[in-house]
């Protein structure tokens, strides 16, 4: 049976046991096919009437979706699992559910239609849940800091950062690599290139790693290194970083960081990188990552001197031309309009001018780009 890459039982019949599919998806790379297999497991579990299987399948779906750039799928699955856990407290692992709660909090950053008031409610319920499990204040402060960083609010980020730094590690703390990366990103928000670079290089020197590190680290360091005149080192990090994130659907924002860097250093490679990752940038529902890509693409096309460029775009790409020739002005206008619209939506939701200002800083406040 060829459906989402599903294996079949002996004799060609499709799998009917959701746990068989859950086992199968664990051996797959994160991405649309794995999401499809896990969603099929949810469907089969629901049809079976086995509540525990439905819970387990949705927990697996949340992990797969979060790691596959489809975090919009976390919200209904998490709500279902919360309801099930309340009715069957002896059948669920509270610690694992709390970790999925953390993923939901991070996922909410991606969607400007998700009300800020609801995000604060979710933070409050997470803090209560963490205390119930006997965890300290560390992870709650960490998540509050990450929210403030997303909003571009240094005044709110700093006190949360201070609490996070002194609170003891506990069962809900992120891994040491992710926490080290968060420190580097915090310094970016605060405008401190030196501490950011120092923190990032510490991650690389110690070879700290997890599923996202050092992938994110290389992208984070590129602009601070350029601003501090360390172009050669930035070029080295760019090559290493691109190898780690190329084609990965969960790293669209990092791919955008590399695109922005290439727009400033190597536009030929930048055009290839742009074409390589444009399909997912157009398809994804993760709006913050999509905004990041449109902003970087607008920078790329704003710096091109040619009237038209040749691009190997997928036929599914918006505005695809069989000739492969694309007017630079049209690409610039399209990406700029989308980046501006999304920045406006996020700033309205967050109550800050952060993303509109970031777009202006990236492109420069020139009449040429209409800012």
């Amino acid at each position: 049976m060829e459906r989402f890459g599903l294996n079949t039982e002996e004799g060609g019949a499709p799998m009917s046991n959701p746990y068989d599919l859950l086992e199968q998806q664990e051996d797959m790379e994160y991405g649309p096919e794995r999401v499809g297999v896990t969603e099929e497991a949810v469907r089969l579990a629901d049809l079976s009437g086995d509540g525990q299987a439905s819970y387990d399948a949705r927990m697996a779906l949340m992990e797969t979706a979060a790691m596959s750039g489809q975090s919009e799928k976390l919200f209904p699955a998490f709500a279902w699992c919360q309801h099930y856990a309340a009715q069957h407290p002896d059948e669920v692992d509270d610690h694992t559910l709390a970790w999925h709660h953390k993923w939901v909090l991070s996922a909410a950053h991606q969607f400007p239609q998700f009300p800020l008031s609801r995000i604060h409610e979710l933070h409050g319920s997470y803090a209560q849940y963490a205390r119930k499990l006997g965890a300290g204040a560390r992870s709650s402060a960490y998540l509050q800091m990450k929210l403030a960083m997303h909003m571009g609010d240094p005044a709110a980020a700093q006190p949360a950062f201070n609490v996070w730094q002194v609170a003891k590690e506990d069962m809900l703390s992120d891994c040491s690599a992710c926490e080290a990366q968060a420190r580097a990103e915090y310094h970016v928000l605060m405008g401190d290139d030196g501490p950011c670079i120092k923190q990032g290089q510490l991650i690389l020197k110690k070879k700290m790693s997890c599923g996202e590190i050092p992938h994110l680290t290389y992208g984070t360091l590129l602009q601070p290194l350029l601003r501090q005149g360390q172009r050669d080192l930035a070029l080295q990090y760019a090559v290493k970083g691109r190898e780690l994130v190329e084609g990965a659907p969960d790293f669209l924002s990092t791919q955008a960081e590399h695109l922005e860097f290439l727009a400033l250093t190597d536009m030929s490679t930048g055009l290839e990188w742009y074409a390589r990752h444009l399909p997912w940038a157009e398809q994804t529902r993760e709006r913050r990552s999509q905004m990041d890509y449109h902003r970087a693409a607008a920078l790329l096309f704003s710096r091109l001197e040619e009237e038209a460029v040749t691009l190997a775009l997928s036929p599914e790409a918006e505005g695809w031309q069989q000739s492969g020739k694309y007017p630079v002005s049209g690409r610039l206008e399209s990406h700029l309009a989308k980046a501006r619209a999304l920045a406006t939506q996020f700033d309205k939701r967050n109550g800050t001018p952060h993303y509109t200002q970031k777009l202006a800083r990236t492109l420069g406040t020139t009449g040429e780009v209409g800012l």
Side-chain angles (χ1 to χ4, degrees):
M1 177 183 179
E2 291 296 329
R3 183 181 182 187
F4 306 124
L6 299 180
N7 290 333
T8 58
E9 296 176 343
E10 188 175 350
M15 287 185 176
S16 58
N17 186 334
Y19 287 104
D20 289 340
L21 290 179
L22 293 179
E23 183 177 353
Q24 178 186 333
Q25 61 93 30
E26 289 181 354
D27 296 326
M28 301 174 67
E29 291 187 3
Y30 289 115
E33 282 199 359
R34 179 165 173 169
V35 172
V37 171
T38 315
E39 288 182 319
E40 180 68 3
V42 171
R43 187 184 73 85
L44 292 178
D46 288 350
L47 287 174
S48 74
D50 184 340
Q52 183 66 58
S54 292
Y55 178 87
D56 293 340
R58 282 177 171 83
M59 293 290 281
L61 175 61
M62 282 189 276
E63 176 186 346
T64 296
M67 302 302 177
S68 299
Q70 298 188 43
S71 59
E72 69 277 3
K73 298 181 184 294
L74 270 68
F75 303 112
F78 182 69
W80 193 100
C81 288
Q82 270 196 317
H83 181 71
Y84 183 85
Q87 293 184 321
H88 306 85
D90 296 333
E91 298 179 16
V92 303
D93 180 73
D94 290 334
H95 176 259
T96 304
L97 187 60
W99 270 95
H100 285 62
H101 197 148
K102 291 176 64 175
W103 293 346
V104 168
L105 290 176
S106 296
H109 299 175
Q110 287 279 0
F111 306 99
Q113 65 270 36
F114 204 102
L116 186 60
S117 59
R118 178 58 180 147
I119 294 177
H120 287 311
E121 288 176 4
L122 285 170
H123 275 270
S125 63
Y126 172 81
Q128 292 178 353
Y129 202 58
R131 287 193 295 269
K132 177 184 174 183
L133 292 176
R138 187 179 181 89
S139 65
S140 294
Y142 174 79
L143 292 166
Q144 289 287 353
M145 178 195 70
K146 298 277 278 188
L147 174 60
M149 289 164 57
H150 159 70
M151 296 170 62
D153 188 349
Q158 187 171 24
F161 175 85
N162 293 338
V163 172
W164 167 49
Q165 290 300 280
V166 299
K168 292 182 179 180
E169 293 185 11
D170 56 47
M171 67 187 77
L172 295 177
S173 298
D174 269 16
C175 73
S176 59
C178 282
E179 290 204 346
Q181 171 66 20
R183 292 187 190 96
E185 294 173 0
Y186 171 80
H187 291 308
V188 171
L189 173 70
M190 305 305 286
D192 297 330
D193 285 345
C196 171
I197 294 170
K198 183 178 180 180
Q199 179 66 38
Q201 290 181 325
L202 181 66
I203 293 171
L204 301 177
K205 181 179 180 180
K206 289 188 173 182
K207 297 183 178 180
M208 302 175 75
S209 65
C210 66
E212 295 185 326
I213 311 300
H215 310 52
L216 300 179
T217 310
Y218 285 117
T220 298
L221 289 174
L222 296 179
Q223 293 302 321
L225 286 170
L226 275 185
R227 287 193 293 265
Q228 296 304 312
Q230 300 186 54
R231 180 187 175 94
D232 289 344
L233 184 58
L235 289 169
Q236 295 176 32
Y237 286 174
V239 172
K240 293 179 180 179
R242 290 200 301 272
E243 291 177 353
L244 291 174
V245 302
E246 182 174 2
D250 191 35
F251 288 99
L252 184 59
S253 286
T254 305
Q255 291 158 3
E257 290 176 324
H258 284 282
L259 181 58
E260 181 179 342
F261 179 79
L262 289 168
L264 299 172
T265 60
D266 184 352
M267 284 189 280
S268 177
T269 303
L271 288 170
E272 295 175 1
W273 187 259
Y274 164 81
R276 170 74 174 86
H277 298 100
L278 181 63
W280 184 245
E282 291 184 336
Q283 295 171 29
T284 184
R285 295 183 180 180
E286 293 188 343
R287 299 308 183 206
R288 187 190 63 186
S289 296
Q290 189 176 61
M291 173 182 61
D292 291 341
Y293 202 83
H294 285 310
R295 183 177 60 245
L299 174 64
L300 175 68
F301 286 100
S302 74
R303 292 177 57 81
L304 290 170
E305 297 180 356
E306 301 93 329
E307 291 186 1
V309 291
T310 300
L311 297 169
L313 298 186
S314 166
E316 290 76 29
E318 182 179 323
W320 178 77
Q321 298 292 326
Q322 189 171 8
S323 66
K325 299 285 187 180
Y326 297 89
V328 169
S329 61
R331 289 274 131 184
L332 170 59
E333 291 171 5
S334 175
H335 288 297
L336 179 58
K338 292 172 182 175
R340 183 188 291 119
L342 286 167
T344 299
Q345 292 174 35
F346 276 105
D347 287 348
K348 182 178 180 181
R349 191 273 299 275
N350 295 336
T352 68
H354 176 61
Y355 289 105
T356 300
Q357 291 178 350
K358 188 172 184 178
L359 178 61
R361 287 196 305 270
T362 300
L363 296 174
T365 53
T366 67
E368 179 183 354
V369 295
L371 288 171

